[in-house]
């Protein structure tokens, strides 16, 4: 497998020295930044994540700053979700769509004040979309990428580790809520969130210089908790049904196809709403489904077509063997004609045809 | 060095099977797509490029389609360059800036018709900026990423190889002009352009299915020309003064700082023009400069500060040893106070301080 060639354009993060010292074995690039993909092995990393606690460099979850008198107006144009219901300490998962209802990104919005938001984005320069709107309409709002690098602490012992570094206040943070808690001479927004279902937090580290001191504090306090460096895990996130924008869904998909209809409740005429009216009424023609795959599979590095009677009825873009569930777990986008549970569909992999079976629900 | 983990989000290209068969050793990710960085070694690849002919998978130079009745209107909003002078078969290097004159991208615009352009973009989702403007203003123009994957043929024997596949018409294509020439049952836009100064072409391959047939045709016809797979070369491009957006220049830099003032001649009020008025009149406070670096240097994987009397006076983001010129060649952004030729400046690398010396001009 080819190595990755680093340069200034593919940015390192404030935590890269820690990641390298912990023996990272693979990277991907996400928002022009390095994102670790494996430390020991994807299987061993998953097993550890489910039992202990891991520290993840997810700096690549870049923030889009939306700040100024017109910030809420812009958010209401962008958001299919009703922004008036958002509380002051809340995080909102917000699928953002184009004029045709096609997904542009699926950020987590963090409300810092009525006129101040961060959008913690998936892979894609969503700030360019927001900036284009702002300049065209002459809105009074700043759009930029602030010096904020999220660090995730995930796993069943995350509360214990975080309490040692930030105090017991972290235990009271509710899911998708945040508190601002002190660290050294500063403070960080800390949310109960993260891209696993093992529980944990995301620390929005403002100021790159605080990166390694925080990393070191977490490791120093976590030795007896068996803390390790980790990263979004390719097995655990499929088991958990966590979708990867760019892989499982793209601009050609609507939020309804992605099973995100509960996040499309804005009463306002947001960008794309009219185009989504039919799917809101009648449901989408295809949708995300959990699948199992029979037999042996290789790594899923591009989309595998799902076929029925010589016709494509969907595709799988994420698949891995799950040691916990002893089956190949997968995420697919499946046509309505074949999305019912227990439907068996031919899956075309580069290693040959495999049978895929639609599941009732994800594994957790 | 860590390996790169492939997935559907980090897209393969129509030429990936060819690239892999030719033994690619390193990749970077550019516009959510794999871009090869080295085959034999960066030094050997450079030497071969200067003597023979190479085929480069630069599919990652994605196209932003700008098409419709308002296409020219949008182009005039985006372009600091006078679009009215652009000929029907012409390619235009166009720095695109934000409201502060900061570089958003430096694409090559290709005029397919008065109402139809491609922007062949550097790393960044510029289509999101264009789409935001289009939706906000209700312009009648389509913005999308078409199925176009550029393949570059570079090197002193490029004309000979291309003539064998496309006929002698390719020899008549002038620099930054294009012709549409037939291949099998289709035709491609072929421009005399490319990210080296060894001469050559870029073939805009419309339709992924034509990728490997074209790749194979070039290799079959080029055996006696010693054709090889190559890629943008980290040594040759520095010697040639070809700037990498994201490394040598970023949103914090203006086109004047990048030495691109000759591309800022639009008489219209394009986005950012007002902010650039002062630099248009008085010149920029810092600018791109070629530098040599004394002593041994390691790989430049992030920006190295240029220091004078304890104060930062610029940085270097691209540097490599040049076997041809027997010196370390580099590209820096240098403050006016220190940009005169022969100025010696302290350069802080992670391997220690090195002396950098400002050069009069790039090496070719």
């Amino acid at each position: 497998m080819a190595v990755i060639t680093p340069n200034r354009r593919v940015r390192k993060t404030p935590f890269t020295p820690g990641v390298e010292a912990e023996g990272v074995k693979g990277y991907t690039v996400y928002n022009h930044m390095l994102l670790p993909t494996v430390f020991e092995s994807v299987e061993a990393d998953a097993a550890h994540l489910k039992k202990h606690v891991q520290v993840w460099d997810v700096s690549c979850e870049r923030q889009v700053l939306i700040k100024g008198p017109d910030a809420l107006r812009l958010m209401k144009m962008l958001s299919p979700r009703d922004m008036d219901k958002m509380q002051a300490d809340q995080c909102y998962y917000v699928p953002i769509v184009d004029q045709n209802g096609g997904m542009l990104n699926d950020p987590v919005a963090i409300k810092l004040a009525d006129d101040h938001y961060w959008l913690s984005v998936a892979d894609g320069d969503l700030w360019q979309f927001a900036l284009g709107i702002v300049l065209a309409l002459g809105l009074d709002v700043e759009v930029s990428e602030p010096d904020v690098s999220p660090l995730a602490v995930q796993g069943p012992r995350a509360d214990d580790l975080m309490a040692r570094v930030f105090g017991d206040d972290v235990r009271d943070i509710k899911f998708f809520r945040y508190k601002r808690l002190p660290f050294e001479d500063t403070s960080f927004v800390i949310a109960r969130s993260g891209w696993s279902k093992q529980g944990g937090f995301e620390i929005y580290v403002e100021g790159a210089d605080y990166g390694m001191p925080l990393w070191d504090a977490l490791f120093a306090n976590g030795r007896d908790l068996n803390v390790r460096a980790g990263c979004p895990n390719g097995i655990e996130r499929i088991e958990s049904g966590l979708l990867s924008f760019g892989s499982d869904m793209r601009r050609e998909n609507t939020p309804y196809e992605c099973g995100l209809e509960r996040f499309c409740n804005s009463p306002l005429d947001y960008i794309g709403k009219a185009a989504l009216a039919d799917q809101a009424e009648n449901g989408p023609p295809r949708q995300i489904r959990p699948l199992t795959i029979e037999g042996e599979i290789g790594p899923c590095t591009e989309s595998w077509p799902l076929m029925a009677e010589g016709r494509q009825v969907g595709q799988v873009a994420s698949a891995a063997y799950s040691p916990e569930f002893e089956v190949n777990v997968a995420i697919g986008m499946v046509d309505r004609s074949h999305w019912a549970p227990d439907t068996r569909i031919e899956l075309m992999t580069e290693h040959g045809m495999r049978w895929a079976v639609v599941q009732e629900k994800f594994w957790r």
Side-chain angles (χ1 to χ4, degrees), chain A residues 7 17 29 84 93 129 138 154 159 171 179 197 240 262-263 265 279 317 326 363:
Chain A
N7 60 28
V29 177
D84 284 323
Y93 183 61
F129 184 65
Q154 301 282 299
D159 278 62
R171 298 185 190 274
K179 285 186 198 285
K197 284 201 175 170
S240 300
R262 66 191 179 284
F263 303 115
N265 63 347
Q279 292 194 7
E326 297 181 330
W363 291 264

Side-chain angles (χ1 to χ4, degrees), chain A residues 133-156:
Chain A
I133 293 169
V134 163
L135 297 187
L137 298 183
L139 299 184
D140 188 0
V141 52
E142 180 189 346
V143 174
S144 63
E145 185 187 290
D147 178 16
V148 177
S149 300
L151 187 70
V153 177
Q154 301 282 299

Side-chain angles (χ1 to χ4, degrees), chain A residues 42-299:
Chain A
V42 181
E43 294 76 13
D45 290 355
H48 177 271
L49 169 64
K50 293 169 184 178
K51 201 167 166 186
H52 305 285
V53 58
Q54 294 184 348
V55 178
W56 296 3
D57 176 4
V58 286
S59 301
C60 68
E61 293 173 4
R62 304 311 293 167
Q63 306 306 301
V64 179
L65 176 79
I66 307 275
K67 186 177 184 181
D70 289 328
L72 184 56
R73 182 175 162 203
L74 177 63
M75 289 297 293
K76 288 180 172 180
M77 290 178 64
L78 294 175
S79 172
R81 200 159 165 185
D82 187 349
M83 294 301 298
D84 284 323
K85 294 183 177 161
M86 191 175 194
Q87 303 297 309
D89 66 341
Q90 201 160 10
C91 309
Y92 256 18
Y93 183 61
V94 179
I96 291 180
V97 300
D98 67 16
Q99 75 277 23
N100 302 314
M103 298 273 293
L104 292 177
N105 209 294
D106 66 330
V108 172
I110 297 125
K111 182 176 180 172
L112 299 170
D114 286 335
D115 64 349
H116 189 180
Y117 298 83
W118 287 339
L119 298 177
S120 189
V121 293
D123 190 32
D125 297 328
L126 185 67
W127 63 270
Q128 297 216 13
F129 184 65
L131 183 65
I133 293 169
V134 163
L135 297 187
L137 298 183
L139 299 184
D140 188 0
V141 52
E142 180 189 346
V143 174
S144 63
E145 185 187 290
D147 178 16
V148 177
S149 300
L151 187 70
V153 177
Q154 301 282 299
R157 305 303 300 274
D159 278 62
D160 295 335
L161 175 56
M162 288 289 284
R164 292 183 189 178
V165 175
F166 291 99
D168 278 329
D169 280 356
V170 296
R171 298 185 190 274
D172 303 329
I173 300 172
K174 294 195 177 72
F175 186 65
F176 264 51
R177 300 273 173 159
Y178 75 82
K179 285 186 198 285
R180 188 176 269 282
L181 295 175
F183 179 78
E184 295 187 349
D185 61 350
T186 188
S187 65
F188 301 134
V189 168
I190 300 178
R192 191 178 289 274
S193 57
W195 213 57
S196 84
K197 284 201 175 170
Q198 303 307 316
F201 302 87
E202 286 173 302
I203 310 165
Y204 290 82
V205 180
E206 281 176 88
D209 289 346
Y210 291 104
M212 283 309 297
L214 174 60
W215 179 278
D216 291 337
L218 288 163
F219 277 83
N221 281 279
R223 277 196 202 101
D224 61 303
L225 300 175
N226 196 12
V227 65
R228 280 196 203 170
C231 49
N233 185 274
I235 298 170
E236 198 276 347
R237 73 104 180 162
I238 298 175
E239 297 166 346
S240 300
L242 296 171
L243 307 184
S244 173
F245 182 74
S247 286
D248 303 311
M249 56 200 180
R250 289 183 169 180
R251 191 177 170 191
E252 61 259 31
N253 302 117
T254 70
Y256 293 88
E257 294 175 1
C258 304
L260 305 177
E261 58 278 0
R262 66 191 179 284
F263 303 115
C264 301
N265 63 347
S266 169
L268 305 176
D269 187 29
Y270 60 85
I271 294 169
K273 185 176 190 181
L276 291 171
D278 178 65
Q279 292 194 7
E281 178 81 14
N282 303 308
R286 65 192 67 81
Q287 202 169 47
I288 289 287
R289 284 290 181 276
L291 299 118
T292 55
I293 303 171
E294 300 176 356
E296 296 216 342
I297 56 169

